[in-house]
Amino acid sequence: MRKNFFKTIVLFICLTLIVPFISTVNVFAATNDAPQIIGESAITMDLDTGEIIYSKNADVKRSPASTTKLLTSLIFAENKSKSDLIPYTDTSASLTETTLSGYLSGGAKPGDTMTADDVMKAVMIFSANDASIMMAESVAGSVDAFAAMMNEKAKELGAVNSNFINPNGLEVNNTTHNVTTAYDLALIGKAAYQNDWIRETMELPSTSVSINDAKIIIDTRNKNLGKDGNVGGKTGTETMAGHCFVGYYTRDGRNLITVVLGSEYGAEGINVFNDTKSIADYSYNAEKVPFKTAGTEIGTTELEYKLFRFFGPTKTITAPVVLDSDIMYYDNDYNSANAKIELSNTDLDAWKVASNNTVDLTFSIAGYNETVQGSVQLSTGQLLKANFPIYAAAVLAIIIAIVLIVVIVKLISKSNRRNRRSRYYR
């Protein structure tokens, strides 16, 4: 009876000590799980390295709503100066949805002007649709011509799955609207953030702009600004697009861009911002895991060589390529679908590889590239074995040639001795 009581006490003490540790481990594991967000598509990219840390349907084409204006503002910034005067036109003055003109009694009139800097503020902080049309027409002369510039710039940035028909992201109907992906928008957003004018503008929580002499106070639509390392962003909301947000974060010297598309607006309009905070927090805590480990065969390579090393017919041999060290990456659906390992130099000579089989490999995921070490599994013995009949025949031919030369030399020598003796006896 005493023994059972003693065992019970010991078991209770052990459980008391162990259970909190198990709970801590479970909580730690849970905090490192990829977040479940409302947004239909999302991505987190390291602004400095280009690495994709978090991804959800990042290659799915969607309407981007007013996040389009990142590209619009980038092209505008590359073609205008802050002090330039930008006029209202018939097209920009006629807009009524989310406009600066709506803050003026009677609205803005064609010919009214704003400085380019105020136009930038109106677009990046307030998301004014009329100001984005002013950007487009002042740069390209028309919305259609500017849309062509947008598509050209998008392709230049690597955003090859995007198509833009207007500078503000307004949707005409279910099928007629701008199209991009979370990944493409991250590339566009990265380029926009590298522009000082745009970056400094989106950092402002509020400011004022003027149309002619009328001053208008505008506040940012970015509800994450100044929180948890958020230093800027661009919002967007439309019927097909849902609630969208491109955010920029700086923590502990690391700079990230986040993209969330297709979130729900919600009663307070904060779902997309909650989604953004979730993926930003996760991304700052995420750790890389092995994509491929050392010793893994990652493919084969065809190597050319001269049969007799420096001369003879050219031949090829297939050899396996293995990793010399682990390749680490962020495990997510985008990386898993797009990661590649390739031989950096495909113009290799088999004889040289056989004597030094270390090679450079390129590990790449979209715009991110890393050089890793690998080995080509090829030896001189394998080359000799692959051509043994030819080498054996060559050796035999050499031996025969040497024997013939020796025989001929002996015959000549013998003949010379006979000739000398013949002359002596005369």
Side-chain angles (χ1 to χ4, degrees):
M1 187 74 176
R2 287 181 177 178
K3 287 183 178 181
N4 290 336
F5 177 77
F6 180 76
K7 288 180 179 178
T8 302
I9 292 298
V10 172
L11 179 61
F12 175 78
I13 293 172
C14 290
L15 289 173
T16 302
L17 294 172
I18 293 172
V19 167
F21 176 75
I22 294 173
S23 299
T24 302
V25 171
N26 286 338
V27 169
F28 179 78
T31 59
N32 282 273
D33 289 340
Q36 301 300 309
I37 63 172
I38 297 172
E40 295 290 339
S41 298
I43 200 168
T44 304
M45 177 187 290
D46 189 306
L47 278 171
D48 300 313
T49 67
E51 292 172 285
I52 307 303
I53 305 172
Y54 171 86
S55 167
K56 177 183 179 182
N57 301 324
D59 266 344
V60 175
K61 294 182 179 181
R62 298 188 58 83
S63 170
S66 285
T67 59
T68 293
K69 292 165 184 167
L70 285 165
L71 181 57
T72 301
S73 296
L74 176 60
I75 297 173
F76 182 73
E78 291 176 341
N79 287 274
K80 295 292 180 179
S81 298
K82 291 183 179 182
S83 59
D84 290 345
L85 288 180
I86 310 300
Y88 267 90
T89 62
D90 291 336
T91 305
S92 54
S94 66
L95 285 179
T96 58
E97 183 179 340
T98 312
T99 63
L100 281 180
S101 177
Y103 283 81
L104 298 177
S105 177
K109 302 294 189 297
D112 289 346
T113 60
M114 299 173 65
T115 65
D117 194 35
D118 278 356
V119 172
M120 179 67 77
K121 291 173 182 175
V123 170
M124 289 306 304
I125 297 173
F126 181 68
S127 197
N129 289 317
D130 52 352
S132 65
I133 295 294
M134 293 168 70
M135 283 184 169
E137 293 184 325
S138 68
V139 170
S142 70
V143 168
D144 288 343
F146 190 78
M149 291 181 68
M150 293 175 75
N151 289 318
E152 182 179 349
K153 186 66 175 181
K155 299 299 183 294
E156 176 187 318
L157 296 174
V160 297
N161 291 311
S162 300
N163 184 65
F164 297 93
I165 61 172
N166 64 50
N168 48 33
L170 290 175
E171 298 169 351
V172 179
N173 54 48
N174 290 354
T175 58
T176 307
H177 51 73
N178 293 340
V179 172
T180 191
T181 67
Y183 175 75
D184 279 10
L185 195 51
L187 295 178
I188 293 168
K190 178 181 178 180
Y193 191 71
Q194 290 171 340
N195 183 277
D196 294 342
W197 188 2
I198 296 174
R199 185 178 63 257
E200 291 164 4
T201 300
M202 69 172 66
E203 291 173 351
L204 300 172
S206 64
T207 189
S208 64
V209 298
S210 297
I211 301 176
N212 292 342
D213 294 324
K215 180 180 289 187
I216 302 170
I217 304 298
I218 55 175
D219 298 315
T220 183
R221 295 175 180 270
N222 176 8
K223 296 181 180 180
N224 280 357
L225 185 64
K227 302 175 183 177
D228 306 305
N230 180 265
V231 292
K234 184 68 197 75
T235 57
T237 304
E238 270 284 69
T239 303
M240 296 298 298
H243 204 186
C244 307
F245 183 62
V246 177
Y248 301 91
Y249 283 81
T250 298
R251 296 185 198 171
D252 302 322
R254 291 185 65 197
N255 305 301
L256 304 183
I257 181 172
T258 61
V259 178
V260 176
L261 301 176
S263 189
E264 296 173 3
Y265 191 79
E268 298 179 356
I270 61 173
N271 286 337
V272 75
F273 300 108
N274 291 338
D275 282 351
T276 297
K277 182 182 184 305
S278 294
I279 65 174
D281 289 345
Y282 166 80
S283 297
Y284 274 109
N285 292 317
E287 295 184 357
K288 294 182 180 181
V289 299
F291 173 64
K292 299 288 183 182
T293 56
T296 301
E297 182 179 324
I298 55 94
T300 60
T301 183
E302 295 284 331
L303 301 171
E304 291 188 348
Y305 62 101
K306 297 291 185 180
L307 184 60
F308 296 103
R309 188 152 193 161
F310 301 111
F311 64 92
T314 300
K315 301 195 70 178
T316 60
I317 188 168
T318 301
V321 181
V322 302
L323 290 173
D324 287 348
S325 59
D326 295 351
I327 293 180
M328 309 296 287
Y329 84 139
Y330 293 107
D331 186 10
N332 55 63
D333 59 356
Y334 186 89
N335 287 347
S336 297
N338 292 280
K340 295 185 296 183
I341 308 172
E342 298 174 309
L343 192 62
S344 300
N345 181 8
T346 56
D347 187 22
L348 295 172
D349 178 77
W351 290 112
K352 291 181 179 179
V353 169
S355 60
N356 179 14
N357 64 354
T358 300
V359 292
D360 285 338
L361 304 173
T362 300
F363 172 60
S364 63
I365 305 173
Y368 172 75
N369 294 284
E370 176 186 347
T371 299
V372 296
Q373 293 298 306
S375 299
V376 179
Q377 302 300 288
L378 181 66
S379 66
T380 301
Q382 287 174 292
L383 288 172
L384 295 175
K385 184 179 179 181
N387 299 282
F388 180 76
I390 298 174
Y391 293 139
V395 170
L396 181 59
I398 291 171
I399 292 172
I400 292 172
I402 292 172
V403 170
L404 287 174
I405 290 170
V406 170
V407 170
I408 292 170
V409 168
K410 285 184 176 182
L411 289 173
I412 292 172
S413 177
K414 187 176 180 180
S415 176
N416 288 337
R417 286 199 301 269
R418 286 176 180 175
N419 289 335
R420 284 197 298 270
R421 284 198 301 269
S422 176
R423 288 196 299 272
Y424 177 77
Y425 285 113
R426 287 179 188 174

